[in-house]
Amino acid sequence: MKLIIQIPCLNESETLAIALAELPREVEGFDSVEWLIIDDGSTDDTAEVARQNGVHHVVRHPVNRGLAVGFMSGLDACLKLGADVIVNTDADNQYCGADIPKLTAPILAQQADIVIGARPIEQTEHFSWVKKKLQRLGSWAVRVASKTDVADAPSGFRAMSREAAMRLNVFNAYTYTLETIIQAGQSNLRIISVPIRTNGDLRPSRLVKSISSYVQRSLVTILRVFVIYRPLALFFYAGSVFLLAGAVAGVRFLYFYFDNGGEGHVQSVIFASLCLTLGMLFSMMGLIGDLIATNRKLLERIDVRLRHLEFGSSDRNHANIKNG
């Protein structure tokens, strides 16, 4: 059994050594533990710091491609290197490396396919009140979309089995955390959360540059994953609001029409027609989106089979990792 711990990096030369010092060299249940760094177009000495601190594999992007792309590049590299379980963590030492066995234990026990580390958000001092509430809101939205019981959806500290890693795809360039959970839930993968510890803040978050930017990006991400994975429900509920408003306006006009000829209430007819038209359009968009989502699921099945052919289910395919 092989465990590979992957860390996406962008100009992390100042904090990477601290994060690596926290990582275990041995984990119970595994014959070998290896480290892999995804250098996402860093302009500093991130790759060199990684090699000096005993990192086994370095995947390098010549230009910055974003956190989500880096995450997927790491998964592909880990699969090529024959990983049975993959753990993802951050280079800023936010997560306690000693808690990695907590993430891998449920997978080894075949109780879960993906394990998410749940941070003590309310006790994290460097999280503002607004950020704490937004984290809770984002986790709630992901639970609704994925039909899972994930406590801390934005957490990047997670472990996944080889089979789960083969099934994941990320379309959003901003972050992978929310989308992968929703996709895993839609694929009927078993997801659980375990409480983990966090370390002090070494540097400001690069994903949360400002509260307004974080809110905007999070809402867009959540909306986008709903459109991709739950289009019928999203557009049906949106269409239902317009259909209901149109029906109310139509009934109002009919009441006044039969009561006194409807004089002076033509605006109700116009409003009802507009709402009913929009409601029907949203409903049709939901049906079309559902058909597209069905095709996407079929394509995901094909992609998983291709990955099995390329990487193998349990073979040790120690291919060389070329620069991205």
Side-chain angles (χ1 to χ4, degrees):
M1 293 287 288
K2 176 187 284 190
L3 169 66
I4 297 184
I5 304 170
Q6 71 167 36
I7 308 179
C9 295
L10 173 62
N11 297 328
E12 300 287 5
S13 60
E14 295 183 0
T15 61
L16 182 57
I18 300 174
L20 292 174
E22 292 279 328
L23 298 184
R25 292 286 185 178
E26 296 180 355
V27 175
E28 184 177 357
F30 295 95
D31 300 309
S32 63
V33 177
E34 297 179 2
W35 301 347
L36 182 142
I37 297 299
I38 306 98
D39 185 356
D40 191 24
S42 297
T43 56
D44 63 1
D45 296 327
T46 293
E48 184 60 29
V49 170
R51 294 187 180 96
Q52 290 175 357
N53 285 270
V55 171
H56 302 82
H57 313 284
V58 176
V59 177
R60 180 168 174 79
H61 293 167
V63 295
N64 178 245
R65 296 178 179 174
L67 178 59
V69 177
F71 172 78
M72 289 304 301
S73 294
L75 291 191
D76 286 344
C78 290
L79 291 172
K80 289 179 182 178
L81 291 164
D84 295 290
V85 178
I86 302 168
V87 168
N88 185 85
T89 187
D90 287 353
D92 61 358
N93 199 41
Q94 175 185 175
Y95 308 109
C96 183
D99 286 341
I100 286 179
K102 292 183 180 180
L103 299 180
T104 59
I107 297 177
L108 291 174
Q110 298 185 353
Q111 298 173 348
D113 301 301
I114 298 177
V115 181
I116 310 293
R119 296 165 293 179
I121 294 177
E122 295 300 329
Q123 288 74 43
T124 303
E125 295 181 357
H126 60 270
F127 280 8
S128 66
W129 181 87
V130 174
K131 185 176 180 179
K132 291 178 181 179
K133 298 306 177 185
L134 290 174
Q135 296 275 18
R136 296 296 185 189
L137 177 61
S139 296
W140 171 82
V142 170
R143 285 195 293 270
V144 172
S146 63
K147 297 182 179 179
T148 62
D149 191 25
V150 175
D152 185 10
S155 172
F157 196 40
R158 53 186 63 190
M160 65 206 76
S161 67
R162 181 179 183 84
E163 182 65 25
M166 287 189 179
R167 294 180 177 273
L168 295 181
N169 290 287
V170 180
F171 304 103
N172 178 21
Y174 173 57
T175 182
Y176 60 88
T177 55
L178 308 183
E179 186 174 350
T180 50
I181 294 174
I182 295 173
Q183 187 180 84
Q186 294 293 313
S187 299
N188 295 319
L189 295 175
R190 297 167 299 172
I191 309 175
I192 66 172
S193 296
V194 296
I196 52 99
R197 295 166 292 175
T198 56
N199 299 314
D201 194 17
L202 295 181
R203 61 162 173 76
S205 173
R206 291 173 179 166
L207 285 179
V208 188
K209 296 180 179 179
S210 66
I211 294 299
S212 59
S213 173
Y214 180 72
V215 171
Q216 179 182 354
R217 288 191 171 187
S218 297
L219 290 177
V220 170
T221 299
I222 293 172
L223 177 61
R224 192 163 184 261
V225 295
F226 266 97
V227 171
I228 294 174
Y229 298 105
R230 299 289 298 279
L232 184 60
L234 175 66
F235 289 110
F236 175 78
Y237 287 126
S240 297
V241 173
F242 286 103
L243 289 173
L244 179 61
V248 170
V251 169
R252 178 178 183 275
F253 172 78
L254 291 175
Y255 171 79
F256 287 109
Y257 177 81
F258 289 109
D259 185 55
N260 58 10
E263 184 176 354
H265 296 282
V266 178
Q267 67 274 17
S268 294
V269 178
I270 298 173
F271 182 74
S273 300
L274 177 62
C275 288
L276 292 173
T277 301
L278 289 174
M280 292 301 296
L281 285 174
F282 272 107
S283 299
M284 292 301 298
M285 289 171 64
L287 291 174
I288 295 172
D290 190 57
L291 292 175
I292 295 174
T294 301
N295 288 332
R296 178 187 52 76
K297 291 179 181 179
L298 294 175
L299 291 173
E300 285 180 355
R301 288 186 179 183
I302 295 173
D303 183 60
V304 170
R305 293 196 177 191
L306 290 174
R307 287 189 171 189
H308 275 291
L309 291 174
E310 181 181 0
F311 304 134
S313 298
S314 58
D315 296 340
R316 296 297 181 267
N317 187 11
H318 299 285
N320 291 325
I321 307 303
K322 298 180 180 180
N323 288 347

